[in-house]
Amino acid sequence: MPTRVSQPAPVFPKSAADIPADMRVDYYDAGSRYLMNGQVREWDGPCQEVLSPVCIGDAATSVDHSSPPSQGGAGGGSASSRADVPYPPVVPPKRGDGQGPQPYALGHHPLMTPEQSREALDAACRAYDHGCGAWPTMSVADRIRHVAAFVPRMEAVRDEVVRLLMWEIGKTLPDARKEFDRTVEYVRDTIQALKDLDRTSSRFAVEQGFVAQIRRSPLGVALCMGPFNYPLNETFTTLIPALIMGNTVIFKPPKHGILLHGPLLQALADSFPPGVVNTVYGEGRVVVGPLMESGRIDVLAFIGSAKVAAILKHQHPRPNRLRCVLGLEAKNPAVILPDADLDLAVRECVLGAFSYNGQRCTAIKIIFAHRSIADTFAAKLADAVSALVVGMPWEDGVQITPLPEDDKPAWLKKLADEATGRGARIINAGGGHIDQTLYHPAVVYPAPLDTELCRVEQFGPVLPVVPYDDEREVIDWAVQCPVGQQAALFGTDPEGLSRLIDPLVNQVCRVNLNSQCQRGPDTFPFTGRKDSAEGTLSVSDALRVFSIRSLVAAKTSEENERIVSDIVRGRCSAFLSTDFIF
Ligand code: G3H
């Protein structure tokens, strides 16, 4: 049963019987499959066990993960025994002292070596063939056909992907479904956006004695790495634009959120020519290092930490040839002005700070409340956070769920402890209570600005509220902040809001008025300044990011006009063409 944070109590299922039958998951035996050079292959090397953040067991007992789950373990039903799985699994660590509910073992994934990385790279480079391969030279209409053929194949495995998404990263069922559907919609919108782009490019430009056709062409081999919080969506929002623009791709799923890609591998293999999409799995430093060090990666699309992005970029021996599309850290502030509608501000801040446990790069991660209303706002916020429902991802109305990152609750506690040691309090009932992988959401008030909690990206359900006297304090904080993605302003006075809007639009890339911070709609530009991002992603921007303008130009002369016309009429070239894609 889910609980309200005001009464923290064990919420983990004691056994499979406590999980609704349609929400159980079988041990995912197909986790050792990977996609290489057009084939879905079975990996017979070492594998890493995948643990769900969802724990199972009685508070007084420990779960033995070293023996196969009976009757499919938490999944019940027909899962094959893990004893049958031909792989040497890494024995999963137990949480804490190994007592109490323990993370459920969901499956396993390959722990590849640099050899497989190089094989994937060779496959992608062969398919690209320095821009001469069948995929990069294919007409836009034909590439669109391949991507369009993938869509129904993707939709066919929705339930399986959603289930794994929910169990692997603890995302609530509605949010997991939303992530899947939003991704499918993104793929469809990408096709539409490319058609629009291509229609514009199918005209000739006649300028200063030249006739030219200007199109966008691919960049080469792209390495796409999404984050754990949107492992499907934020992998596919780079993978699909990269592919459709004619690049070939290697994608590496994040540390958490790997198995859910399994059901899509065959669809990818069937929808694209060999080598156009390849996967690598394993430790980043083992499998990604060799890719970057080879100098053969042309585009790095990475969503994760600024530190890892810097390492990856520096590994590339020819940095001038590397295009980077990065979505990195953020510390998005909400500012509550003295005249704000406090109820609306609380509603939006709760959504903004605690959706998916605050594990969104766009989450509100610090709140500045004007001192005149700070106590009232904080009290209302505390009430709203106390009412959040903590429980398992499949439970109706649940809002706070187990955290997938190792030892995350303990780290969040450390952040809160430092602030409370400096005079702040956790002001909501039950806030900060830890139950294995669950951290009950906490509002920390009044948080001193020079604490780690106010400085770092917590990426979890603990939220500092800082009183301020003068808006200059907020602006100075934003100027000094090493990251700059978004901000949310809550107020009603046009002048008061404008005094913050004008300086803040130059510190961040989106200022939200009386609304939480968020990426969507996906047609809006999504980017950041400083250490928050490189490049802009939106449905149409992504097509530009993964391509470069290239043109065929000729001096206008009778002879050249005849040649160009003959090429176009004879449909001799995929590039030099006036074909219109409907
Ligand atoms: O984690 C960062 C995501 O891009 C945020 O997307 O605002 O739609 O949750 P969202």
Side-chain angles (χ1 to χ4, degrees):
M1 285 289 289
T3 58
R4 295 201 180 272
V5 289
S6 50
Q7 308 133 0
V11 286
F12 290 109
K14 289 194 176 65
S15 71
D18 291 339
I19 305 169
D22 60 343
M23 288 296 129
R24 295 175 197 166
V25 66
D26 288 338
Y27 186 84
Y28 190 69
D29 286 336
S32 48
R33 292 190 193 146
Y34 63 104
L35 172 57
M36 183 82 78
N37 199 26
Q39 293 169 335
V40 177
R41 299 185 190 164
E42 192 81 35
W43 170 249
D44 58 5
C47 285
Q48 173 67 52
E49 194 92 34
V50 176
L51 296 181
S52 173
V54 173
C55 299
I56 298 182
D58 205 286
T61 60
S62 74
V63 175
D64 183 4
H65 279 298
S66 58
S67 53
S70 58
Q71 273 305 99
S78 61
S80 61
S81 156
R82 282 171 43 212
D84 300 336
V85 179
Y87 73 100
V90 174
V91 175
K94 291 182 169 29
R95 297 275 173 179
D97 58 5
Q99 295 299 306
Q102 290 292 310
Y104 177 67
L106 276 181
H108 55 279
H109 68 79
L111 276 178
M112 291 179 166
T113 68
E115 197 186 323
Q116 288 75 47
S117 269
R118 282 191 278 269
E119 200 183 340
L121 183 60
D122 285 344
C125 288
R126 257 197 321 276
Y128 191 69
D129 192 15
H130 306 279
C132 305
W135 185 250
T137 55
M138 192 177 279
S139 71
V140 171
D142 282 344
R143 281 204 301 264
I144 286 177
R145 269 191 274 280
H146 281 270
V147 174
F150 172 68
V151 174
R153 297 287 304 272
M154 181 176 180
E155 286 176 304
V157 291
R158 178 182 189 258
D159 287 352
E160 207 180 343
V161 173
V162 164
R163 181 88 51 104
L164 286 166
L165 194 51
M166 185 178 76
W167 274 87
E168 263 192 283
I169 61 162
K171 192 165 267 198
T172 64
L173 183 60
D175 281 353
R177 285 181 176 145
K178 199 158 114 195
E179 177 167 351
F180 188 94
D181 296 341
R182 176 181 179 180
T183 307
V184 172
E185 199 181 319
Y186 193 97
V187 180
R188 289 212 175 94
D189 289 349
T190 297
I191 292 173
Q192 209 45 52
L194 181 54
K195 285 182 179 175
D196 291 344
L197 186 65
D198 195 74
R199 282 171 198 146
T200 316
S201 321
S202 60
R203 289 204 314 255
F204 278 86
V206 181
E207 200 73 52
Q208 295 180 24
F210 285 90
V211 58
Q213 189 165 34
I214 308 165
R215 286 187 179 279
R216 299 203 73 93
S217 53
L219 294 164
V221 176
L223 171 62
C224 297
M225 297 168 68
F228 86 80
N229 61 333
Y230 279 97
L232 178 75
N233 183 263
E234 293 208 320
T235 301
F236 275 64
T237 51
T238 58
L239 175 80
I240 294 295
L243 283 176
I244 209 165
M245 294 312 288
N247 304 280
T248 60
V249 173
I250 300 169
F251 85 86
K252 183 199 168 287
K255 186 171 174 198
H256 309 283
I258 298 174
L259 300 182
L260 63 98
H261 293 284
L264 294 161
L265 294 184
Q266 195 58 54
L268 287 168
D270 295 344
S271 307
F272 298 98
V276 169
V277 199
N278 309 275
T279 55
V280 292
Y281 296 89
E283 289 283 338
R285 78 193 144 72
V286 178
V287 294
V288 178
L291 296 175
M292 296 307 293
E293 284 159 10
S294 74
R296 295 159 81 198
I297 295 293
D298 301 293
V299 193
L300 170 66
F302 172 76
I303 305 190
S305 77
K307 189 174 150 204
V308 173
I311 293 171
L312 296 177
K313 282 172 88 165
H314 284 111
Q315 283 173 334
H316 200 288
R318 300 186 197 99
N320 296 341
R321 289 195 189 181
L322 180 69
R323 177 170 298 187
C324 292
V325 191
L326 308 174
L328 307 174
E329 287 146 37
K331 189 78 179 171
N332 294 344
V335 187
I336 320 298
L337 295 162
D339 57 332
D341 173 339
L342 295 188
D343 293 323
L344 179 144
V346 164
R347 268 198 313 277
E348 289 292 320
C349 286
V350 168
L351 262 184
F354 295 102
S355 301
Y356 186 40
N357 311 308
Q359 300 168 123
R360 293 162 59 230
C361 60
T362 47
I364 289 173
K365 292 179 180 126
I366 185 168
I367 296 182
F368 292 94
H370 191 266
R371 201 174 297 278
S372 61
I373 44 85
D375 284 351
T376 315
F377 170 77
K380 283 174 180 274
L381 181 66
D383 284 349
V385 173
S386 299
L388 290 175
V389 180
V390 179
M392 296 301 104
W394 54 81
E395 289 168 343
D396 275 349
V398 79
Q399 288 148 306
I400 299 292
T401 54
L403 306 174
E405 290 179 288
D406 295 339
D407 300 325
K408 190 66 181 272
W411 184 68
L412 296 176
K413 178 177 181 323
K414 202 169 140 209
L415 295 179
D417 282 353
E418 190 213 350
T420 53
R422 300 267 313 278
R425 279 190 314 118
I426 292 180
I427 55 170
N428 59 302
H433 174 79
I434 292 177
D435 185 4
Q436 307 291 62
T437 50
L438 276 170
Y439 182 91
H440 290 243
V443 178
V444 179
Y445 176 76
L449 202 45
D450 58 348
T451 50
E452 283 286 280
L453 179 59
C454 292
R455 200 179 59 77
V456 299
E457 181 179 38
Q458 65 272 46
F459 220 72
V462 55
L463 178 63
V465 180
V466 182
Y468 75 93
D469 295 295
D470 187 314
E471 63 217 18
R472 193 65 234 176
E473 293 165 46
V474 178
I475 297 164
D476 288 347
W477 175 87
V479 168
Q480 299 304 323
C481 192
V483 288
Q485 190 200 61
Q486 298 192 17
L489 305 180
F490 293 90
T492 50
D493 169 34
E495 285 185 9
L497 284 167
S498 303
R499 280 198 300 276
L500 280 165
I501 291 171
D502 290 352
L504 284 182
V505 286
N506 294 341
Q507 306 306 319
V508 298
C509 285
R510 174 165 165 169
V511 173
N512 301 277
L513 298 183
N514 294 313
S515 322
Q516 64 148 324
C517 302
Q518 62 182 66
R519 174 176 176 153
D522 286 329
T523 45
F524 282 7
F526 177 54
T527 185
R529 297 170 185 272
K530 306 183 198 173
D531 267 342
S532 277
E534 191 174 326
T536 301
L537 289 173
S538 72
V539 170
S540 56
D541 283 303
L543 298 177
R544 290 177 169 79
V545 158
F546 287 99
S547 61
I548 189 163
R549 295 221 289 175
S550 199
L551 59 146
V552 176
K555 284 190 176 166
T556 40
S557 67
E558 256 178 49
E559 179 67 349
N560 279 343
E561 280 167 16
R562 184 190 59 76
I563 292 170
V564 170
S565 295
D566 286 354
I567 291 174
V568 170
R569 281 206 200 97
R571 296 206 159 146
C572 308
S573 162
F575 187 98
L576 208 54
S577 155
T578 52
D579 279 356
F580 194 86
I581 308 175
F582 289 96

